[in-house]
Amino acid sequence: MRLIFMGPPGAGKGTQSAFVCTEYQIPGISTGEMLRDAVAKNIPLGLKAKEYMDQGTLVPDEVVIGLVKDRIQQEDALKGYLLDGFPRTVEQADALKKMLSELNEAPLDMALNLAVPPELLVERLLIRAQKEGRSDDTEEVIRTRIETYNQKTLPLLDYYRKEGILREVNGTGSLEEVQSKVKESL
Ligand code: AMP
């Protein structure tokens, strides 16, 4: 199973994707996590990425495309994976398609979108900010991240709809309710 887990910031992708990974016994590949890890370890790539992350804008495509290309070729990802937070632009989606075909890997099985109304997102993200203390969770940065999502990432829904692999799940409700809807859609 190769799937992409999509949804706006604050939709609850992290929590729900962890559940899908356990169900399918596949690794979750989160570009946001990989980037935060690179920042924490002071790797040059992380230093470059931090400027963008702190502002709530996107790290350049070539940086994240390179990270994903290396990661999906690792042993644990050969039978499948869940991509969380990638692709985020049409360019990244095109690069992913090309990369899978060049690596002779099977194409994506599914793009699952967790849909949450915009007015709920800021509130959810502010609550998370208090819990996790992420440096990109101030209200101003949150608004930029949602704006960036609307401009750059939202068009991907149409992209995967046209490819015939989009599944939409209503992401409102309790964690358990959303989890059972995710399960049904799989
Ligand atoms: P996330 O944890 O997915 O919300 O990502 C946190 C931040 O990392 C984003 O606001 C971006 O600055 C950066 N980032 C993560 N994934 C990508 C991606 N696929 N393309 C560009 N930037 C990304």
Side-chain angles (χ1 to χ4, degrees):
M1 171 68 101
R2 293 179 172 81
L3 69 99
I4 328 179
F5 211 91
M6 295 169 68
K13 284 196 303 286
T15 318
Q16 298 300 337
S17 64
F19 155 73
V20 177
C21 288
T22 312
E23 280 279 294
Y24 281 95
Q25 306 254 303
I26 48 176
I29 301 178
S30 154
T31 42
E33 248 169 52
M34 286 195 274
L35 291 169
R36 280 189 289 280
D37 194 49
V39 172
K41 289 180 179 151
N42 274 320
I43 294 168
L45 179 149
L47 295 180
K48 193 174 156 198
K50 192 174 188 305
E51 288 170 37
Y52 299 93
M53 296 168 77
D54 281 348
Q55 284 170 23
T57 54
L58 294 181
V59 173
D61 285 339
E62 65 272 15
V63 174
V64 283
I65 291 167
L67 281 176
V68 171
K69 189 168 186 182
D70 288 344
R71 181 64 186 88
I72 62 169
Q73 292 182 78
Q74 286 169 22
E75 177 105 37
D76 65 335
L78 294 179
K79 286 205 191 117
Y81 43 77
L82 176 153
L83 289 174
D84 171 359
F86 180 95
R88 254 182 162 94
T89 62
V90 170
E91 288 73 19
Q92 291 178 17
D94 280 336
L96 176 62
K97 200 159 136 187
K98 189 161 158 239
M99 167 193 318
L100 294 179
S101 129
E102 281 173 1
L103 294 169
N104 278 323
E105 286 202 19
L108 297 169
D109 296 296
M110 192 192 298
L112 202 151
N113 184 52
L114 209 51
V116 174
E119 61 273 17
L120 285 183
L121 298 173
V122 177
E123 191 190 317
R124 283 194 184 187
L125 285 166
L126 286 171
I127 294 171
R128 185 177 81 187
Q130 284 180 342
K131 282 193 197 148
E132 294 180 8
R134 263 172 62 164
S135 62
D136 59 352
D137 267 349
T138 63
E139 182 151 359
E140 193 194 341
V141 175
I142 285 171
R143 292 199 188 278
T144 308
R145 290 172 65 213
I146 294 174
E147 188 57 29
T148 305
Y149 171 82
N150 288 336
Q151 281 178 14
K152 306 267 174 77
T153 311
L154 212 49
L156 285 183
L157 294 187
D158 256 346
Y159 183 102
Y160 288 115
R161 195 174 286 123
K162 282 188 190 131
E163 301 247 314
I165 60 167
L166 182 71
R167 300 245 178 117
E168 301 218 63
V169 171
N170 180 340
T172 54
S174 72
L175 208 146
E176 292 77 17
E177 281 162 356
V178 177
Q179 184 164 311
S180 76
K181 284 185 261 182
V182 168
K183 205 168 177 176
E184 263 170 46
S185 78
L186 296 167

